[in-house]
Amino acid sequence: VKWLTNDSDPEYTDPRAKKGGTLRVFQRSFPLSLRTVGPDSNDSFRTFLLANQTQLTYFHPNTRKPIPALATHWAYGADHKTIYFKLNPKAVWSDGVPVTAMDFAFALEMMRSKHIVAPWYNEYYSTKFDKVVVYDDHTLAIVGAEKRSPNDMHYYFGFPPRPRHFHKLGPDWVKDTNWKVEPNTGPYQIAKVEKGKEIVFERKKDWWGRDLRYFRNRYNVDRIVTTVIRDESIAYEHFRKGLLDGFTATIPQTWHERAVGEIYDKGWAHKLWFYTDRSLPIWGMWLNQDVALFKDRDVRLGFAHAMNVEKVLKTVLRGDTQRLKTNGEGYGKHTDKTIPERAFDLKKADEYLSKAGWGARGPDGIRVKDGQRLTARVTYGRANHNDRLVVLKEEAKKAGVELTLQLLDQAAAFKTMLEKKHEIAYSGWAPQDKPEYWGQYHSKNAHTPQNNNFSNTDDAELDGLIDAWRVEFDEDRQAELSRKVQRRVYEIGCFIPTWKEPYFRIAYWRWLRWPTPPATKTSEDPVTYAMAESEAWDGLYWVDEEVKKETLA
């Protein structure tokens, strides 16, 4: 084989970065587990944990070429199914145990095990991988089940290791590991857990990767403290008083109304609006087709035309935010840019809903059928989206549709959706390098809990497209299939896209420092995603203690 590496792409850090200090951020809810797989593990805090499971390689955030991480070198097999890796011999787990090729073999065994109670991972790792071949402690091959292009092999086959010396697979694995801190290979490790209140990460002073080309001058703060503050308004008051270092200000009310005043006028706190060039978060409404009402496609399309997304964009969102049109935007040729939005249209809503038998209206204007009102419950977990949903609720009445809003704690809302106990799930999904269809729309994940098919979509034609897309080797053909998947999801009408933000906006105290430019093409919000699982967790910021002391004075 021909061993390859990448030690020539530009660094995107700042040599002025200083080590030390604390970054203080907040979470809206406390995690239900410290596991990253298994029941109740798939919440927003999981990104902090996955961020510290270093991958074999990453993609450079600006050039998008593979760069070293746990692996120093890689090579591609002639069968287009095998990728070889040489591990960095300095790599160790956070408890000091060396990382070896056997940890990757164990990772495959673990993700296939029924003991982790994670059907999605069981299926994925059983069908998408053939085996892990261990040659010696620092040389391995990962063999996939299907042919992949070189870049796709990095993306799909480069899974992180698992510490085989830590895990004891068995019937009690879920319970035994629920609150245990798993050893990791990243720059930070959990140092303190105060249940219901906060979790503290500390930087490893002797981290094995600290001097590597694409890691140096990153991960600068000594501690990251994530505190539970369930109310966004209270969290902002903490920020305004200097008790949090940064605050996500993407929401227009925050940017235009809240993030103003003395601390900004005097230059103590600053604001940053940064446009990126990356795949976008998906915000929208998933209609649960296991609910009798939404089994009817005409009802689903009627609901889509009853949602006045345009008014939300113009009023609540002040024109800062754009209309999302598909279930996967920002993926280049993988995105079908010809799909139109289903605009707020009372005539079309009436046409579809009347066709479904909901033509009559009660005295309050809400449609009725066989004595039942046309009503559906919207489950969501973010109070700062109340204004958006209230507008949708009030405007939907014009179409004879009644929405009841169910705001839950973020973790409780996500748990309700995972257990498929919702009628309409209003949620957002973080972007990935590649669109993800199988978990959200394949029939294998319909009608069962603990997976991401919130719409319980079960469509043979869509299954065929997703299956073909997952195994396609040719990148142009893969992109064509991706567009067909998006078109079929649109035709089914199981998902109502709402809004997109091709940028992040933050407010931050002036002691939080950034390189020039302050982010990369694929950066995510560095406050919300103080740690994120992809290479987009830049870790570029640092705390200037002298500036902090000066500012507080």
Side-chain angles (χ1 to χ4, degrees):
V1 299
K2 180 182 178 182
W3 290 106
L4 305 170
T5 191
N6 181 352
D7 56 5
S8 59
D9 273 9
E11 296 182 53
Y12 48 97
T13 58
D14 194 324
R16 299 175 302 161
K18 300 177 181 180
K19 301 294 185 187
T22 298
L23 179 76
R24 299 160 300 171
V25 295
F26 82 99
Q27 291 272 306
R28 292 173 184 83
S29 61
F30 197 80
L32 300 173
S33 172
L34 293 182
R35 288 180 283 98
T36 57
V37 295
D40 299 326
S41 64
N42 192 14
D43 59 14
S44 60
F45 183 77
R46 183 172 179 258
T47 63
F48 284 80
L49 302 172
L50 293 177
N52 285 291
Q53 291 182 353
T54 313
Q55 298 179 26
L56 284 157
T57 59
Y58 292 108
F59 290 105
H60 190 285
N62 292 326
T63 70
R64 308 309 294 152
K65 295 177 182 177
I67 56 176
L70 270 177
T72 60
H73 296 76
W74 52 88
Y76 309 114
D79 61 356
H80 301 293
K81 295 182 178 181
T82 304
I83 183 167
Y84 302 87
F85 294 102
K86 284 185 178 179
L87 299 179
N88 190 320
K90 295 181 179 179
V92 296
W93 295 101
S94 46
D95 57 5
V97 176
V99 176
T100 73
M102 284 300 295
D103 291 313
F104 290 87
F106 174 76
L108 186 61
E109 175 192 350
M110 174 177 165
M111 301 308 271
R112 289 173 169 177
S113 171
K114 299 298 182 185
H115 296 306
I116 68 173
V117 193
W120 190 95
Y121 286 104
N122 291 164
E123 196 277 345
Y124 185 84
Y125 279 82
S126 295
T127 60
K128 293 300 166 186
F129 297 96
D130 179 10
K131 57 189 173 184
V132 171
V133 183
V134 174
Y135 297 97
D136 58 43
D137 279 353
H138 300 112
T139 313
L140 70 144
I142 295 178
V143 184
E146 300 126 1
K147 290 183 178 181
R148 295 287 186 186
S149 65
N151 271 0
D152 274 0
M153 279 198 275
H154 284 277
Y155 181 75
Y156 288 107
F157 296 170
F159 57 79
R162 290 282 180 167
R164 60 192 177 108
H165 64 282
F166 171 80
H167 291 284
K168 301 293 185 288
L169 294 176
D172 295 326
W173 179 86
V174 168
K175 179 181 66 176
D176 290 345
T177 58
N178 203 46
W179 293 107
K180 286 185 178 178
V181 177
E182 180 183 26
N184 64 41
T185 56
Y188 291 89
Q189 179 65 301
I190 291 176
K192 174 187 174 184
V193 177
E194 190 172 352
K195 286 189 179 180
K197 293 185 178 181
E198 71 175 24
I199 295 179
V200 178
F201 290 83
E202 289 189 355
R203 182 169 61 86
K204 304 170 186 174
K205 298 297 193 295
D206 57 349
W207 182 49
W208 63 271
R210 64 186 176 186
D211 297 322
L212 297 182
R213 177 180 180 84
Y214 302 108
F215 288 155
R216 59 193 176 203
N217 299 316
R218 296 170 67 184
Y219 320 122
N220 299 302
V221 295
D222 284 344
R223 302 167 80 241
I224 297 177
V225 179
T226 172
T227 303
V228 174
I229 306 176
R230 302 182 190 278
D231 185 283
E232 189 114 352
S233 297
I234 295 174
Y236 183 76
E237 286 305 305
H238 278 68
F239 167 74
R240 194 177 61 82
K241 294 174 182 177
L243 301 176
L244 297 175
D245 298 293
F247 193 85
T248 296
T250 301
I251 291 176
Q253 294 95 318
T254 302
W255 182 262
H256 295 289
E257 297 174 12
R258 189 179 278 167
V260 294
E262 182 184 33
I263 64 172
Y264 304 95
D265 296 339
K266 293 189 174 180
W268 299 334
H270 297 175
K271 292 159 73 174
L272 171 64
W273 187 341
F274 191 90
Y275 277 81
T276 58
D277 181 13
R278 58 167 299 138
S279 51
L280 298 177
I282 305 169
W283 278 101
M285 307 169 82
W286 280 265
L287 312 182
N288 186 349
Q289 294 166 88
D290 279 357
V291 174
L293 179 66
F294 293 125
K295 292 181 184 296
D296 192 324
R297 178 175 179 268
D298 289 320
V299 171
R300 300 196 297 271
L301 299 189
F303 263 69
H305 285 294
M307 298 299 114
N308 198 343
V309 176
E310 296 84 353
K311 185 170 183 178
V312 177
L313 296 176
K314 292 177 182 177
T315 58
V316 178
L317 300 178
R318 307 189 185 205
D320 292 353
T321 305
Q322 302 166 20
R323 178 72 193 259
L324 184 71
K325 296 182 179 181
T326 76
N327 61 316
E329 290 195 32
Y331 292 99
K333 61 186 179 181
H334 288 261
T335 296
D336 186 344
K337 298 178 182 178
T338 68
I339 293 177
E341 69 268 20
R342 287 194 170 99
F344 180 65
D345 189 322
L346 295 178
K347 184 177 179 181
K348 286 186 177 180
D350 181 65
E351 176 185 334
Y352 283 117
L353 294 173
S354 295
K355 185 179 176 183
W358 292 94
R361 296 203 185 207
D364 60 354
I366 301 301
R367 295 174 186 268
V368 293
K369 175 183 177 182
D370 300 329
Q372 299 294 317
R373 292 163 60 82
L374 183 55
T375 181
R377 183 179 68 255
V378 182
T379 300
Y380 63 112
R382 298 188 67 160
N384 57 15
H385 284 211
N386 281 341
D387 290 349
R388 310 180 192 197
L389 294 176
V390 166
V391 171
L392 294 184
K393 171 186 170 74
E394 293 303 311
E395 290 293 300
K397 291 178 181 177
K398 299 176 182 178
V401 172
E402 181 179 60
L403 299 179
T404 60
L405 304 183
Q406 182 187 38
L407 172 62
L408 302 175
D409 170 86
Q410 193 168 12
F414 195 69
K415 183 179 178 69
T416 298
M417 297 170 194
L418 283 174
E419 293 177 352
K420 312 291 178 73
K421 294 179 179 178
H422 61 280
E423 294 179 354
I424 299 177
Y426 171 74
S427 182
W429 289 100
Q432 303 181 63
D433 280 339
K434 291 271 191 179
E436 208 297 302
Y437 301 128
W438 189 84
Q440 288 190 306
Y441 299 106
H442 200 284
S443 64
K444 283 196 174 181
N445 297 307
H447 323 304
T448 58
Q450 295 297 327
N451 62 63
N452 299 339
N453 189 344
F454 289 173
S455 59
N456 278 312
T457 295
D458 185 346
D459 180 78
E461 180 181 344
L462 182 58
D463 284 353
L465 291 171
I466 293 173
D467 290 338
W469 176 80
R470 293 178 83 197
V471 301
E472 181 55 52
F473 174 76
D474 181 81
E475 290 190 1
D476 288 335
R477 172 62 179 157
Q478 188 184 68
E480 180 186 354
L481 287 165
S482 173
R483 296 192 295 270
K484 288 184 176 181
V485 168
Q486 293 181 0
R487 175 66 63 167
R488 184 57 186 159
V489 171
Y490 174 78
E491 292 169 351
I492 293 169
C494 57
F495 170 62
I496 303 174
T498 53
W499 24 78
K500 64 181 180 182
E501 295 146 347
Y503 55 77
F504 66 78
R505 298 194 294 202
I506 61 171
Y508 63 96
W509 284 90
R510 65 189 288 264
W511 57 74
L512 203 56
R513 311 294 268 189
W514 315 91
T516 303
T520 70
K521 287 172 64 174
T522 57
S523 290
E524 296 179 81
D525 174 343
V527 175
T528 298
Y529 297 101
M531 297 185 195
E533 59 191 281
S534 70
E535 76 281 0
W537 175 42
D538 298 320
L540 302 180
Y541 52 83
W542 68 95
V543 171
D544 190 317
E545 293 288 4
E546 292 181 9
V547 173
K548 183 173 183 178
K549 183 178 179 180
E550 174 188 69
T551 307
L552 292 176

